Amino acid sequence: MKLQRMNRRALALGALAVSGALALTACGSDDTGTSSGGSSAAAKPGSIKCDDAKGQLLADGSSAQKNAIDAWVKQFTAACQGTQINYKGGGSGAGVTAFTQGQVAFAGSDSALKPDEVTASKKVCSGGQGINLPMVGGPIAVGYNVNGVDNLVLDAATLAKIFNNEITNWNDPQIKKLNPDAKLPDLKIQAFHRSDDSGTTDNFTKYLIDTAKKDWPYDGGKTWQAKGGQSASGSSGVAQQVKQTNGAIGYFELSYAKDGLKTVDLDTGAAQPVKATVDNATKAISEAKVVGTGKDLALQLNYGTKAEGAYPMVLVTYEIVCDKGNKAETLPATKAFLRYIASEEGQKILAEADYAPIPADIISQVRTTVDGLS
Amino acid sequence: MDTSTQITDAPPPAPQPATDKRAARGATRPGDRIFLGLSRGSGILLLVIMAAIAVFLTYRATLAISKDQGNFLTTFEWDTNLVPPNFGIAVLAFGTVISSIIAMVIAVPIAVAIALFLTHYAPRRLRGPIAYVIDLLAAVPSIVYGLWGALVLVPNMTGLFGWLNDYLGWTGIFSWQGGAPRSMLTVGILLAIMILPIITNVSREVFRQVPQMHEEAALALGATRWEVIRMAVLPFGRSGVISASMLGLGRALGETMAVATVLSPSFLIETSLLDPGGGTFAQNIASKFGEATEFGRDALIASGLVLFVITLLVNGAARAIIARRKEYSGANA
C-alpha cells in the first residue's frame, strides 16, 4: 500500500489539482455576490455612534441575512476602529443554540424564539430573557423555468398543489385559468424544495398554511414535510437546479433570482398580480403586527393581504439579544451595532442588497428597545 | 570429499541461535521493553478512542431516541422540529446500502482489471503514469467530485437513463419518469469513481506480491497468461482484494459532500434507481446539521451511530470472509 509514494512530478500535479479545487470551491458557495458592500461605501463615518464600543463581538445565525450583516459590519467597523464583529452564518438553529449557550452576543434567526427557547435564554440573560428584534425583511421568490413562458401568474392554492404533487403538468387547467394568454407546454412539473432545514422553507410554508390551508395540510416548520418532488441544498442549490431543468419551479430568497431566472407573479386577490420586488415586500411587511410581549418585537405577518402591490410571501429575520443581563464586556458594542443597523442609514443599505427594510413604525420601536438594552 | 569432512568436523551451529532466541524472548534489553510498552500502549489507546466514540454516540443517541414518537428504525421522515419529534432512519439506511452496493458492483471489477493490467499486461513504460493518475484520483477532495458530478455527470446522464428506461424499464428498478437524473444510480456511479483508486492501489500491491515461482510454475505447466492469472494470481490475491474492497466500501458508506451535492434528497424510498430521491446517513447529517437545534443534533448523532454499527458489521463480515479463505490463500503457501 503505497498511496503516498509520489514523486516530484506527481506532487506538482497534485498541487495543481488542489489549487484548482480551491478555486472551484470558492465559486461554489452560497455567495449571492450583491453589490451592497461597494456601493454603500459612501456612508459618512461620522453618522455612526460608537460610544465606547470596542473588542470582538461574536454572533451566529441565519444565513438568509448574512449578506446584509456583512454590508453593515463593513460600514460599522470602518467607523468604529477597534471593534470587530464576527457573524458566522451557520443557520438560525445554530445561532439560537449558540445564543442559549451564551457563546454569542446576539443571534440571527428567521423565526422568532419558541417558548422553550425563551426559557433556555433566561439562564444566559441574568434577570432578563432573549427578545426578537426584526431587522431585515425579504421577499421569497418562486422561480420557474418553462420554455416559451415569460410571465407566469400563480395563486397560493395553485402553488400549494404544485408543491404537493397534485398539479403535475404545466398545461393543467388550473394554471391555464390564471394564465389565459400564456402558451403552456405539455411538460412535467419538477418542483424543487430545500433538502436542508431552512428558514426560507419555514416562511414559504407559513404563507401556504395561512392562505391555502385546504391544499397544504401540513404543520410547517423548517423541515420540508410534503412527500415527493425534488430537492437541493441551499437557496443557491435550488436556484441552480431551476435554471438547469426545463419544467422546474422552486422557491428561494429574491437575491438568488438572477441571471435570467424568471419569477412568479402572485395573484393575491388584488386587481393586479404582484411581482416579487423589494418595494412590494416592504408594503406587505408594513401590515405586520407586533405580537411579542414586553420588549419582544416578534411579528405576525399578514399573509392574506389583498392590498394593491403588496407581495405577501416574505420573511423577516430577527436579531436575538437579551433585554436585560447582556454581558458587560460586549454590551456597548452590541448596542452600538444594533442601533446602527436599525438606523435610517443602516436600513437604507438593505434595499441595495435585495433585502426589504423594516417599515418605519416597527423599526422605531426597535430603536427604542435597542436604547433600553442593559 | 573435502567439503563433507569439513561439515562433519564443524561444531554444531544449532545451539547458538537457540540461546539468542531465548534472550530475545525474555526482553531483557531496555529498548525491547520500551518498544513493547509503546506498541501495547498504542493498541490500548486505539481501543479507548473507539470506546469513547461509541459511548459518546450512544449517550447522545439515547437522549434523542427516547423522545422520538415514530419508530426510529422504520419511520420515513426526519422532522426533529415537530412537537413531538418524528424521525427514523429507514430511508437513510436503504439509500446508504443501495448506493454503496451500486458503487461496489461497478468499481470492484474495474479496479481489479486495472490492477491486473498494471501488474501483468501493461508495458513497463505505461505503469508509472497510470499509477500516478490513479494516485491523483485518490487525492481529489470529495467536494470537487461533487461539483463535477452536479455540473458534468448529472446533465450527461439523461442519455443513459433514457436507454435504461427503454430496454430495462420493465424491471421496475430501471424505470424513469423523466426527473433530473440526480438519483441513487448517479450517486453510485460517482461513488464508484471515488473508491476506484483505493481498491486499485491495494489490489495492485497485492498482485505484485504473488511469488514469481508460482507464476513460473504455472507457465512451465503450459498455462496461458490468463490461466496464470486465474490459477496463481487471483487465488493468492483474493483476501487482499477483499480487504481493498472493504476500504473502498468504507469510503462509499461514509461519503458526504459528493452525495449531498449530486443527490436530490427526499424521505421516500424510490423503487427505481433512476428516479430522484432517497438519502444517505452522511448526506443527511451534513445537510441538516447547520439549522438543527440541540435536539436535532442528538437525532443526527443517533443516525451516525447506526452508520457506525453498519460499518462495524461490514468490517466484521469482511474479516470473517478473509479468515474463512485463509487456508486457500497464497499467504500461507
Side-chain angles (χ1 to χ4, degrees):
Chain A
M1 225 193 317
K2 288 178 184 162
L3 295 179
Q4 304 94 323
R5 203 188 50 177
M6 292 187 182
N7 69 4
R8 217 170 264 266
R9 210 161 92 223
L11 274 175
L13 275 170
L16 199 74
V18 168
S19 51
L22 283 174
L24 274 174
T25 46
C27 310
S29 72
D30 255 14
D31 185 14
T32 55
T34 48
S35 55
S36 54
S39 58
S40 51
K44 279 169 256 140
S47 56
I48 298 174
K49 267 196 277 177
C50 305
D51 294 343
D52 42 1
K54 56 177 165 304
Q56 204 191 27
L57 205 57
L58 289 181
D60 192 3
S62 160
S63 55
Q65 59 166 325
K66 173 97 171 89
N67 292 323
I69 297 264
D70 283 349
W72 282 328
V73 165
K74 202 171 167 188
Q75 298 292 308
F76 184 76
T77 49
C80 303
Q81 303 288 337
T83 317
Q84 253 192 328
I85 297 171
N86 191 347
Y87 183 85
K88 197 160 61 127
S92 306
V96 172
T97 306
F99 180 75
T100 51
Q101 289 175 348
Q103 293 165 5
V104 291
F106 69 91
S109 175
D110 300 336
S111 5
L113 288 174
K114 293 196 194 72
D116 57 324
E117 289 166 344
V118 172
T119 315
S121 72
K122 283 179 181 162
K123 271 183 291 179
V124 184
C125 312
S126 45
Q129 64 172 52
I131 53 168
N132 306 288
L133 302 174
M135 289 289 191
V136 187
I140 301 173
V142 178
Y144 65 98
N145 176 358
V146 184
N147 279 345
V149 180
D150 291 326
N151 275 309
L152 189 66
V153 179
L154 295 175
D155 59 9
T158 326
L159 273 176
K161 283 181 188 161
I162 286 175
F163 280 93
N164 202 18
N165 295 302
E166 282 168 39
I167 295 179
T168 55
N169 200 302
W170 279 109
N171 64 6
D172 191 279
Q174 286 204 46
I175 304 179
K176 252 184 194 157
K177 215 173 92 192
L178 290 162
N179 300 275
D181 301 331
K183 274 186 270 170
L184 293 162
D186 178 10
L187 182 68
K188 190 176 183 280
I189 297 180
Q190 311 214 19
F192 283 89
H193 56 84
R194 291 282 290 271
S195 62
D196 46 340
D197 289 357
S198 150
T200 314
T201 299
D202 192 11
N203 285 283
F204 177 65
T205 52
K206 258 185 209 156
Y207 168 74
L208 294 182
I209 289 167
D210 243 50
T211 52
K213 185 73 197 142
K214 197 162 56 82
D215 300 304
W216 195 257
Y218 302 101
D219 297 339
K222 288 179 185 171
T223 310
W224 184 255
Q225 288 166 324
K227 292 290 180 191
Q230 295 185 50
S231 61
S233 179
S235 276
S236 62
V238 173
Q240 195 206 357
Q241 288 302 325
V242 172
K243 207 184 293 175
Q244 263 182 14
T245 318
N246 189 23
I249 185 166
Y251 61 91
F252 35 77
E253 285 124 43
L254 179 66
S255 53
Y256 294 90
K258 43 186 181 179
D259 302 338
L261 257 180
K262 292 167 282 193
T263 59
V264 168
D265 298 346
L266 275 186
D267 181 350
T268 58
Q272 288 291 319
V274 189
K275 285 202 181 315
T277 64
V278 170
D279 287 347
N280 293 350
T282 311
K283 233 172 249 170
I285 298 173
S286 67
E287 296 194 17
K289 277 195 309 248
V290 175
V291 291
T293 49
K295 290 187 172 173
D296 188 16
L297 293 174
L299 297 183
Q300 187 174 33
L301 295 161
N302 181 11
Y303 293 115
T305 179
K306 290 183 178 147
E308 228 30 67
Y311 185 85
M313 201 196 291
V314 289
L315 62 78
V316 169
T317 75
Y318 301 95
E319 313 306 332
I320 294 171
V321 285
C322 297
D323 56 351
K324 266 179 261 168
N326 286 290
K327 284 192 188 113
E329 64 267 27
T330 54
L331 180 65
T334 310
K335 266 176 91 164
F337 182 65
L338 292 181
R339 188 194 301 131
Y340 163 62
I341 67 178
S343 70
E344 222 162 279
E345 192 189 319
Q347 290 287 310
K348 222 162 81 190
I349 291 179
L350 286 176
E352 296 165 19
D354 279 339
Y355 290 103
I358 302 295
D361 56 324
I362 299 172
I363 201 74
S364 67
Q365 292 184 57
V366 173
R367 286 174 200 147
T368 321
T369 311
V370 168
D371 281 333
L373 292 180
S374 59
Chain B
M1 275 298 136
D2 252 351
T3 46
S4 69
T5 49
Q6 263 180 2
I7 286 167
T8 46
D9 285 350
Q16 198 57 35
T19 50
D20 271 357
K21 229 185 223 168
R22 223 170 288 141
R25 222 178 267 155
T28 48
R29 276 182 276 175
D32 281 345
R33 251 178 294 142
I34 293 169
F35 185 70
L36 177 71
L38 276 178
S39 47
R40 184 179 287 160
S42 310
I44 292 170
L45 181 69
L46 183 73
L47 289 178
V48 169
I49 292 173
M50 290 296 282
I53 293 173
V55 166
F56 165 78
L57 290 177
T58 324
Y59 171 67
R60 299 288 296 264
T62 45
L63 288 183
I65 296 175
S66 59
K67 287 185 193 147
D68 187 4
Q69 63 152 4
N71 184 322
F72 182 62
L73 294 178
T74 56
T75 304
F76 282 36
E77 193 107 30
W78 194 276
D79 199 339
T80 52
N81 297 318
L82 266 188
V83 193
N86 183 22
F87 57 94
I89 53 150
V91 173
L92 305 178
F94 179 79
T96 305
V97 171
I98 287 292
S99 62
S100 299
I101 289 175
I102 297 172
M104 295 297 283
V105 166
I106 298 171
V108 172
I110 296 177
V112 170
I114 296 174
L116 285 175
F117 175 73
L118 286 180
T119 50
H120 289 83
Y121 288 97
R124 203 163 284 277
R125 208 184 301 156
L126 264 183
R127 284 179 199 181
I130 294 182
Y132 293 146
V133 171
I134 293 171
D135 281 347
L136 275 179
L137 271 183
V140 175
S142 64
I143 184 67
V144 175
Y145 279 107
L147 287 174
W148 175 79
L151 299 176
V152 179
L153 187 64
V154 167
N156 286 307
M157 288 299 279
T158 42
L160 174 69
F161 275 29
W163 185 85
L164 281 173
N165 184 40
D166 287 348
Y167 293 95
L168 295 167
W170 53 271
T171 56
I173 27 176
F174 291 114
S175 64
W176 185 41
Q177 291 164 7
R182 301 164 69 228
S183 71
M184 276 296 159
L185 183 66
T186 316
V187 169
I189 291 171
L190 186 66
L191 288 179
I193 298 169
M194 295 179 68
I195 65 178
L196 201 60
I198 195 157
I199 306 181
T200 309
N201 271 314
V202 179
S203 303
R204 193 187 64 205
E205 289 303 320
V206 171
F207 292 149
R208 203 184 270 166
Q209 307 301 324
V210 175
Q212 202 69 39
M213 305 266 278
H214 282 212
E215 294 183 34
E216 283 170 8
L219 285 171
L221 288 171
T224 62
R225 197 183 282 197
W226 167 236
E227 283 166 335
V228 170
I229 287 174
R230 228 180 51 204
M231 296 188 302
V233 178
L234 287 181
F236 181 91
R238 185 173 289 145
S239 59
V241 170
I242 293 173
S243 309
S245 308
M246 288 309 132
L247 281 176
L249 180 58
R251 187 169 183 193
L253 285 172
E255 179 45 47
T256 308
M257 287 323 292
V259 179
T261 321
V262 169
L263 190 67
S264 164
S266 73
F267 273 83
L268 277 180
I269 290 181
E270 302 286 351
T271 46
S272 168
L273 296 177
L274 308 189
D275 282 338
T280 73
F281 286 113
Q283 165 270 318
N284 188 53
I285 293 173
S287 62
K288 303 271 187 204
F289 200 79
E291 289 276 338
T293 58
E294 187 92 31
F295 176 79
R297 292 187 181 187
D298 287 348
L300 290 172
I301 286 169
S303 77
L305 177 68
V306 179
L307 180 59
F308 185 74
V309 170
I310 290 180
T311 316
L312 279 184
L313 288 180
V314 165
N315 269 314
R319 291 205 157 267
I321 295 171
I322 293 168
R324 202 151 52 83
R325 293 189 184 276
K326 202 181 261 167
E327 59 237 63
Y328 303 114
S329 83
N332 296 341

